[in-house]
Amino acid sequence: MRSIHYTRDALVEVLRRHDINPTHQRIEIAYALFSRGEHLSADQVLAIVNDRHSQTSKATVYNTLNLFLRKKLIREVIVDPSKVFYDPNTIPHHHFYNVDTGELVDIDAAEITISGLPQLPEGIVTEGVDVIVRVRSKAE
Amino acid sequence: MRSIHYTRDALVEVLRRHDINPTHQRIEIAYALFSRGEHLSADQVLAIVNDRHSQTSKATVYNTLNLFLRKKLIREVIVDPSKVFYDPNTIPHHHFYNVDTGELVDIDAAEITISGLPQLPEGIVTEGVDVIVRVRSKAE
DNA sequence: ACTGAAATTAGACACAGTCCAGATTATGAA
DNA sequence: TTCATAATCTGGACTGTGTCTAATTTCAGT
């Protein structure tokens, strides 16, 4: 998906640029997301972070993910009714979502074009456009 | 949104056509959705149905909504991380979602065109394409 | 080292949705 | 009508995600 090697030092810089005080826990959580470049649920982040090094509480994981969201360091992907996925890729893109396997794959936004969207009423601003292509492993 | 008057009798027919045994509770739940033509959460359906007539349990509302989904009588709209909305409109369409107000508005799929979607791998079939335009009430 | 602000924590809590075992209702044969 | 059977519905316990709170820890600046 992405093979950039994120050192923790590099992530400290990224956090600072996003106006986030780089604490131990925040660095570990960022590392979990960015070193893999995968879509992870809060649950998965918690498990990964507590596998190595320091213990991090559930509350901190949720607080931190929401902080990262607010600071636009990561995005949230809402495809599964039961949990949110967090996406370290903030380049505009969309998703394939395999309903059977839960697999979530990026689609570069540059590749696709959406035309004919209705005009927005006055005072309403677009925040973002999400395209989700729900797929399944053939058969039925 | 839609001003067709659904009688309960008409809904019985709709249920039958979708291979659903039309019980009291199922008719009331269908009526709640189709008479309003709005996106409702399970919670809202439960409240509406129990406002009038017979008592219907939470379990039945969830069972029934999932049955309707399986039988493709309704669709689910996943935009809010905390709850699913059920949509009686099964004509292909997309959504505006106001992040501030929670308001959900239809966009006719016929109006818009999406081009450039990547080829799917062998053995993978498209289930549906959801476009969600997230909007907010200006300012920031 | 001392102090206040920021961050983290455990655990209680809220709430959507599921599960289960028992009660109710519908169906249909005799 | 009566009985047997299957389908449906039910309350309530339960699960899992995410939030809240009050107390503790960490950290920056003096």
Side-chain angles (χ1 to χ4, degrees), chain B residues 21 23 25-26 55 57 60:
Chain B
N21 190 358
T23 64
Q25 290 87 342
R26 285 167 183 176
Q55 287 302 95
S57 72
T60 296

Side-chain angles (χ1 to χ4, degrees), chain B residues 10 12-20:
Chain B
V12 168
E13 274 316 301
V14 173
L15 291 177
R16 287 226 174 84
R17 272 200 297 280
H18 282 263
D19 202 23
I20 296 165

Side-chain angles (χ1 to χ4, degrees), chain A residues 94-95 112 114 129-133, chain B residues 114 117 129-132:
Chain A
H94 304 292
H95 296 97
I112 85 170
I114 306 168
V129 178
D130 292 347
V131 178
I132 297 150
V133 181
Chain B
I114 305 169
L117 282 175
V129 179
D130 293 346
V131 178
I132 297 150

Side-chain angles (χ1 to χ4, degrees), chain A residues 21 23 25-26 55 57 60:
Chain A
N21 191 358
T23 64
Q25 290 87 341
R26 287 167 181 176
Q55 287 302 94
S57 72
T60 297

Side-chain angles (χ1 to χ4, degrees), chain A residues 42-57:
Chain A
D43 214 39
Q44 292 175 305
V45 171
L46 182 63
I48 292 166
V49 165
N50 282 339
D51 201 44
R52 47 166 69 238
H53 307 90
S54 56
Q55 287 302 94
T56 302
S57 72

